[in-house]
Amino acid sequence: MEDWQHGFYKLKRAKRQQLIAQQFDLSKKQEELLDTQQDPINEQMVENYLTSFHLPQGLAVNLVVDHQSYVVPMVTEEPSVIAAASNGAKLVAANGGFKVSQSRAMRTGQIVLTGISDFNKTSEWLTQRENQILSIANQAKPSMQRHGGGATKVTMRLLKNGWLSVDLLIDTAAAMGANTINTMCEAVGEWLTTQHFHVLTAILSNLATDSLQTASCTIDVADLASTTSSGPEVAQKIAQLSDLAQLDPYRATTHNKGIMNGIDAVLIATGNDWRAIESGAHAYAASDGNYKGLSTWSVAGTKLIGSLTLPLPVGIVGGSIDIVGLVQLNQQIMKIKSAQQLAQIIASIGLAQNLAAMKALATDGIQAGHMQLQYRALALSIGATTAEIETLIAKLNQLPHVDRQSARTALKQLRKESPHGKN
Ligand code: MEV
């Protein structure tokens, strides 16, 4: 470790910046960037704070879930995501909107015991003390019961010879509840230690199989027609693409990445832990031993039917949600009243995103729709000003082949043609 890193965490932000500027040869302009993007609230949220990294936030429109219309804030750096979600949602809205499941979400925490000589006997001992275990968990976080939640059930799983997982089923009400679950598990773990068990770990599980959320939709195949294919042809191909994602993990991974494009963007906009949902989603996708697409599409007569199920243990209070002003603003735009409603919207956005990708793959391919948005990013990356972007994109659209070099040449040419266009 280099000397300047000693005690880095103790320094004031400005001092940290000064050190970094020296160490990494930052220009005055780069230092200004760090300065202008710094934020005193964000500074309180992480260790060794330097500045804030901004991402674009846009709004997905046209979403209808259980007959209610929503505008959905999405935070993403990927150019096509919000447009695709809005397009998918529009197609579904014209067909009655998304339908969603209604179950109350529960979380799981686990206390893993080792050195168990008799699984059945220990399970029985623990089952007899279920009420005691639940009350230890609930006393560790009494506010949870006041909010209508709390630990509700204890079950046991044999992991391997001698290893047993004591699983706590916990209702975290409106919160994601990670801290609550960990606090409860640790309290139960401590008690089990006093009862002479060896506790390997006491921690929440992000595989929230008791927080499954389903969104589904039914679309008239006629609405899927493209310039080159009929509606039934497109629907058939979407169903085949769905089958492909069920049988080939290479395709399933990309299929699910498309779903998570939408889901992550809403999770970030609503202050939820997107890494937790990502890991849970992928573990769930592999729950029968083979990694599969999280959504399925099939054709029944003149209808294309889509469905997506994944664990969505999201929250609307607690943690960074209560601190970040934009998150509260985004909740207001979404008219969110409960964590369950948020999970329903997120699952619907995931399916809308997936539908848009499926339709593009079944018709023109992905690149055709992405190109205009990619040209915009390319134009910015080669230094085009906002005043030049539209004209430059029009020029790129005329070219048989576009890359960085040809884009630079087109920009030079544009500046020669209208030297005052550059601002
Ligand atoms: C791109 O970010 C996501 C897609 O590749 C998803 C898919 O292929 O289904 C378009």
Side-chain angles (χ1 to χ4, degrees):
M1 187 171 76
E2 292 167 74
D3 262 1
W4 64 269
Q5 295 179 20
H6 281 292
F8 193 68
Y9 72 98
K10 290 187 203 152
L11 302 178
K12 293 243 182 307
R13 192 207 74 85
K15 181 70 193 164
R16 269 186 219 130
Q17 177 168 322
Q18 201 187 336
L19 262 179
I20 292 295
Q22 275 164 9
Q23 290 298 324
F24 300 100
D25 230 359
L26 301 190
S27 66
K28 274 270 154 290
K29 212 165 161 213
Q30 286 175 314
E31 279 212 59
E32 267 167 40
L33 182 64
L34 294 178
D35 272 332
T36 49
Q37 298 212 168
Q38 60 103 11
D39 174 291
I41 294 189
N42 284 5
E43 186 168 359
Q44 302 307 315
M45 291 173 68
V46 298
E47 188 91 327
N48 293 352
Y49 180 79
L50 181 63
T51 190
S52 295
F53 189 100
H54 294 175
L55 287 171
Q57 173 176 318
L59 300 170
V61 291
N62 312 320
L63 187 78
V64 174
V65 181
D66 270 355
H67 307 291
Q68 236 193 292
S69 194
Y70 291 100
V71 172
V72 184
M74 297 176 82
V75 174
T76 178
E77 88 301 341
E78 190 168 327
S80 56
V81 165
I82 299 174
S86 301
N87 284 340
K90 188 174 180 184
L91 190 50
V92 177
N95 284 272
F98 290 96
K99 303 275 171 289
V100 284
S101 59
Q102 298 291 344
S103 54
R104 178 117 198 211
M106 304 291 274
R107 319 290 196 248
T108 301
Q110 57 179 166
I111 303 105
V112 178
L113 308 178
T114 58
I116 302 295
S117 51
D118 186 331
F119 173 78
N120 290 332
K121 219 163 126 195
T122 307
S123 286
E124 204 181 304
W125 188 91
L126 290 162
T127 305
Q128 279 162 4
R129 286 157 187 79
E130 181 173 17
N131 286 340
Q132 192 176 352
I133 294 171
L134 292 177
S135 109
I136 290 166
N138 285 322
Q139 273 163 27
K141 202 76 189 176
S143 59
M144 204 28 83
Q145 281 188 316
R146 284 201 299 277
H147 290 115
T152 60
K153 198 170 164 48
V154 181
T155 52
M156 270 63 72
R157 281 180 302 126
L158 175 66
L159 301 181
K160 71 169 195 173
N161 210 5
W163 288 29
L164 180 157
S165 182
V166 182
D167 294 343
L168 286 185
L169 201 64
I170 301 162
D171 184 343
T172 55
M176 260 196 112
N179 289 329
T180 299
I181 304 165
N182 289 338
T183 304
M184 288 182 172
C185 288
E186 285 181 8
V188 172
E190 274 163 33
W191 177 74
L192 287 170
T193 308
T194 66
Q195 302 302 304
H196 311 295
F197 286 102
H198 299 291
V199 174
L200 176 61
T201 188
I203 179 100
L204 67 84
S205 169
N206 287 122
L207 180 51
T209 46
D210 290 289
S211 280
L212 294 182
Q213 180 63 55
T214 297
S216 57
C217 62
T218 301
I219 299 161
D220 210 321
V221 293
D223 291 354
L224 295 164
S226 74
T227 44
T228 48
S229 314
S230 72
E233 279 165 354
V234 177
Q236 251 340 309
K237 207 151 173 205
I238 291 177
Q240 283 181 324
L241 285 165
S242 167
D243 291 348
L244 175 62
Q246 293 301 303
L247 67 90
D248 177 25
Y250 284 85
R251 175 57 208 154
T253 306
T254 320
H255 179 101
N256 289 343
K257 189 273 182 182
I259 293 171
M260 300 314 286
N261 272 345
I263 289 182
D264 283 344
V266 188
L267 291 171
I268 297 171
T270 56
N272 275 280
D273 181 347
W274 52 273
R275 286 87 53 211
I277 305 294
E278 275 276 348
S279 59
H282 296 295
Y284 182 68
S287 48
D288 76 357
N290 296 314
Y291 185 86
K292 291 179 174 172
L294 287 163
S295 68
T296 55
W297 296 92
S298 57
V299 179
T302 59
K303 304 287 181 198
L304 176 72
I305 299 162
S307 179
L308 167 68
T309 300
L310 77 163
L312 276 174
V314 292
I316 59 166
V317 295
S320 70
I321 297 173
D322 299 338
I323 304 167
V324 181
L326 257 183
V327 166
Q328 287 138 36
L329 183 152
N330 288 341
Q331 287 185 347
Q332 201 172 324
I333 292 177
M334 292 170 90
K335 298 189 181 152
I336 284 295
K337 299 273 180 297
S338 69
Q340 191 194 30
Q341 187 192 9
L342 179 58
Q344 292 167 339
I345 293 172
I346 292 176
S348 303
I349 281 285
L351 193 55
Q353 200 78 52
N354 181 230
L355 172 61
M358 295 290 95
K359 189 167 175 251
L361 289 173
T363 54
D364 306 330
I366 283 297
Q367 286 309 86
H370 281 197
M371 266 327 177
Q372 298 308 305
L373 296 159
Q374 281 172 6
Y375 287 173
R376 196 169 289 276
L378 177 61
L380 281 173
S381 77
I382 59 162
T385 64
T386 44
E388 290 168 333
I389 282 180
E390 296 307 328
T391 331
L392 182 57
I393 291 174
K395 269 194 181 304
L396 299 183
N397 276 326
Q398 309 291 315
L399 300 179
H401 173 72
V402 176
D403 59 14
R404 248 184 129 63
Q405 190 49 48
S406 56
R408 277 209 185 97
T409 311
L411 180 60
K412 256 192 212 151
Q413 197 189 346
L414 184 150
R415 285 178 177 167
K416 251 194 227 146
E417 285 163 12
S418 61
H420 303 300
K422 186 178 185 305
N423 58 14

